Amino acid sequence: MFAAVALSLGASASAASLTENFDGGVPAGWVKVNNSDPKGSTDWFQGNPLVFGSHQGAATSYIGANFNAGADVADISDWLILPTQTFNNGDKLSFFSRTVDGSLYPDRLEVRFSAVGGKDVGHTAGSVGTFTTLLLTINPNLDYFGYPEQWAQFNTTISGLAGATNGALAFRYVVEGGGPDGDNSNFIGIDTLSVTAVPEPSTYLMLGLGLGLLGVMRQRRARG
């Protein structure tokens, strides 16, 4: 009976779960799409310790994006799309991010969600495809010194879903007037990422039933 309860607990939890420290750079299965206009010479890449070191682990153990995602003066829109997973309301994304010390070129990062999953982000610098839900923006107004210059933690929560949903999260390095000849965009990093499933209400119900059953079993053993 206890085994049946345990199986029910596992089945009722959300399937979204992921931990990534970027020891090997951009993970296999993550999709890079650079829609910058005009497009530059880079997209997302392994961290560069000559710019700054990682949040934890080896100095290169983070991922980065920079001004070279665009060419000349560019509207940068550089996407990094996580694999499609099953999400429920309450699932959480946590990660650390930063820019360079004393940066004079503002950066911006968006976290977006697609409720259908996949990798459709459109084909222009201004398009978002199916990733229409904006979960979080770091330095939305491109303020000078508005992006943290030391590793800082950011958290966001999935909400508004009708039920279990096959969806995908994405990072979008998005900077207007960026590129090597622009006034904006420098270099950002992302590290120590986790996607955490939060148990659904039915999980707590089954947990309560399981604890109750354990209590009954202990009482019977005591009487015996």
Side-chain angles (χ1 to χ4, degrees):
M1 186 177 296
F2 178 74
V5 171
L7 289 173
S8 297
L9 285 172
S12 61
S14 169
S17 182
L18 177 67
T19 300
E20 183 58 62
N21 292 321
F22 305 107
D23 294 333
V26 176
W30 294 36
V31 177
K32 299 183 289 184
V33 180
N34 189 349
N35 281 340
S36 302
D37 183 22
K39 184 185 297 186
S41 59
T42 67
D43 41 46
W44 289 86
F45 48 79
Q46 177 97 43
N48 182 351
L50 297 179
V51 180
F52 52 76
S54 68
H55 172 250
Q56 62 177 12
T60 60
S61 295
Y62 67 96
I63 52 173
N66 69 5
F67 61 91
N68 282 319
D72 304 321
V73 178
D75 288 337
I76 294 176
S77 181
D78 192 10
W79 293 81
L80 182 62
I81 307 166
L82 282 65
T84 297
Q85 295 182 281
T86 302
F87 289 90
N88 283 279
N89 292 322
D91 292 347
K92 297 181 182 297
L93 168 68
S94 174
F95 64 97
F96 286 76
S97 189
R98 64 164 292 178
T99 186
V100 304
D101 294 331
S103 177
L104 298 176
Y105 301 93
D107 283 312
R108 182 198 291 132
L109 180 70
E110 292 181 347
V111 179
R112 288 185 169 269
F113 179 75
S114 167
V116 297
K119 56 184 180 181
D120 177 13
V121 295
H123 303 285
T124 69
S127 65
V128 297
T130 64
F131 288 81
T132 55
T133 301
L134 179 62
L135 295 177
L136 182 152
T137 307
I138 304 175
N139 198 20
N141 298 320
L142 286 177
D143 295 327
Y144 287 102
F145 310 110
Y147 209 102
E149 296 179 7
Q150 301 297 321
W151 288 109
Q153 187 173 26
F154 295 89
N155 301 281
T156 188
T157 302
I158 303 293
S159 62
L161 302 179
T165 299
N166 288 333
L169 291 159
F171 292 105
R172 183 189 184 204
Y173 180 52
V174 51
V175 187
E176 300 83 11
D181 296 330
D183 293 329
N184 302 319
S185 73
N186 197 340
F187 187 115
I188 65 166
I190 294 173
D191 200 359
T192 318
L193 176 146
S194 64
V195 179
T196 306
V198 176
E200 300 176 62
S202 58
T203 302
Y204 294 110
L205 175 60
M206 294 303 297
L207 179 60
L209 290 173
L211 292 174
L213 289 171
L214 285 175
V216 170
M217 293 171 64
R218 287 174 178 172
Q219 288 178 4
R220 288 178 176 174
R221 288 178 180 173
R223 287 196 297 268

